[in-house]
Amino acid sequence: MRYTVENEFLRVEVESLGAELASVVDKATGAEMLWQGDPAVWPRRAPILFPYCGKLVNGSFTVEGKQYAGGQHGFARDLEHEFLGCDGTALRFRLASSAETLALFPFDFVLESTYALEGRTLRHTLAVTNSGAKELRFGIGYHPGFNLPFDDKHTTEDYELRFDTPQTPIVQEVEAGYLTGGTHPMMENSAVIPMDDRMFDNDSICMGGLSAKTLCLVEKDTGRRISFDIEGYPYTLIWSSVGDPKLHFLCVEPWRSLQDKADATGDWADKPCAAALAPAEKWDTTLAITFQR
């Protein structure tokens, strides 16, 4: 089921399946900003990545010697989340561990999602509580996609990505969806990433070593932009499906963990995580997205 929250600037819809952002409409223009999940291109819109990001080596992990199968990006995106209510400015959802999740991931947890509007900014907070009796390790990340171009008067080359300060992003090299352990600088001391339809022919670009507070998708001739608050995230990915022949959307993905290396042990205790929570401990993170005209 879909739920709606709005203010004078934006109307936002969230689907209870996956607690996934389903629509962001600029009320002044009526423009839909969020990618709408064309199954012929990419069927999702803005999945929540939990309890891990990316691929698992051999599609599985082990806990205390027992193997658990898992698909890319975890299972939170594929399950129904309980709607907790709307207070007029925010929608709240919850996914709690169950017999279904324990068969996939042998840890108790509560994952809460809050979508709050503040002017032209949408704040998506993910909060994780360890509701079990043993340590809870997990990965987590965001994966929202936005229509590109913003309208039919522009092309991909009319846009660029801009950091608020010059950066030298360190790209985590990937092969067949797994980290190789190699890295290279994407650019040297520049605030701008030019865009073109072939930039994701080798899959996503995972950037580490960033000190920027924001990364913006900017329409160069008008200044219209979508700004992502990436401060404090160890990795920010950019991705789209391969241009055929053009891009249809752009995902900006702040992550707090990464996919496996091809030679990973597969043991959950060895996997880098966003947090390791003691029983009853709670942790949260927020992605702020601002739509500027």
Side-chain angles (χ1 to χ4, degrees):
M1 181 175 287
R2 285 194 181 190
Y3 298 89
T4 303
V5 66
E6 60 186 301
N7 61 15
E8 61 183 303
F9 303 110
L10 301 170
R11 182 172 67 253
V12 169
E13 296 179 6
V14 179
E15 175 65 55
S16 57
L17 180 63
E20 184 173 4
L21 187 63
S23 175
V24 180
V25 172
D26 183 330
K27 293 174 72 171
T29 64
E32 174 64 70
M33 304 301 292
L34 192 73
W35 168 246
Q36 288 300 288
D38 182 348
V41 181
W42 181 54
R44 300 183 186 270
R45 293 172 170 83
I48 294 168
L49 313 186
F50 176 87
Y52 52 84
C53 300
K55 294 178 69 173
L56 299 170
V57 67
N58 299 318
S60 65
F61 61 92
T62 59
V63 176
E64 298 176 350
K66 183 175 180 179
Q67 188 174 60
Y68 296 85
Q72 183 164 298
H73 296 324
F75 53 75
R77 62 184 186 167
D78 297 318
L79 299 180
E80 190 73 18
H81 293 229
E82 178 188 3
F83 177 58
L84 300 180
C86 177
D87 65 6
T89 60
L91 299 169
R92 294 183 172 83
F93 299 84
R94 177 175 59 196
L95 177 68
S97 54
S98 63
E100 183 178 13
T101 69
L102 289 169
L104 303 170
F105 180 66
F107 301 94
D108 289 305
F109 66 88
V110 176
L111 171 65
E112 296 172 289
S113 299
T114 301
Y115 293 87
L117 282 177
E118 298 177 10
R120 293 188 176 277
T121 298
L122 173 63
R123 297 185 183 277
H124 183 192
T125 297
L126 294 170
V128 180
T129 301
N130 182 352
S131 57
K134 56 185 177 181
E135 182 183 70
L136 171 63
R137 295 168 57 85
F138 62 91
I140 204 163
Y142 296 90
H143 200 312
F146 294 91
N147 286 323
L148 183 76
F150 295 164
D151 57 38
D152 59 9
K153 299 176 182 178
H154 293 85
T155 65
T156 303
E157 288 75 14
D158 293 324
Y159 296 82
E160 63 188 17
L161 288 160
R162 295 181 193 168
F163 294 105
D164 59 300
T165 57
Q167 301 290 302
T168 302
I170 304 302
V171 174
Q172 306 295 310
E173 296 174 1
V174 174
E175 185 175 331
Y178 298 110
L179 295 172
T180 67
T183 63
H184 67 267
M186 182 178 182
M187 57 196 188
E188 296 284 348
N189 198 36
S190 175
V192 175
I193 302 173
M195 295 200 66
D196 66 75
D197 289 317
R198 311 315 312 177
M199 64 188 295
F200 300 112
D201 282 3
N202 295 317
D203 209 345
S204 61
I205 300 170
C206 177
M207 300 177 289
L210 301 175
S211 60
K213 294 181 178 180
T214 60
L215 177 61
C216 296
L217 173 60
V218 181
E219 193 172 73
K220 292 183 285 186
D221 63 337
T222 68
R224 288 190 298 178
R225 66 191 62 199
I226 304 173
S227 176
F228 303 85
D229 184 351
I230 62 170
E231 185 175 16
Y233 284 89
Y235 307 101
T236 297
L237 289 80
I238 51 176
W239 175 77
S240 186
S241 60
V242 174
D244 56 350
K246 64 180 181 178
L247 300 183
H248 299 279
F249 65 89
L250 177 75
C251 289
V252 175
E253 310 172 33
W255 288 12
R256 291 199 178 274
S257 52
L258 288 175
Q259 66 267 57
D260 280 349
K261 291 183 179 180
D263 62 354
T265 67
D267 191 320
W268 188 258
D270 294 337
K271 188 172 176 61
C273 60
L277 304 182
E281 190 174 5
K282 186 173 183 177
W283 175 97
D284 65 73
T285 188
T286 297
L287 173 61
I289 307 172
T290 302
F291 302 84
Q292 298 169 293
R293 298 178 63 243

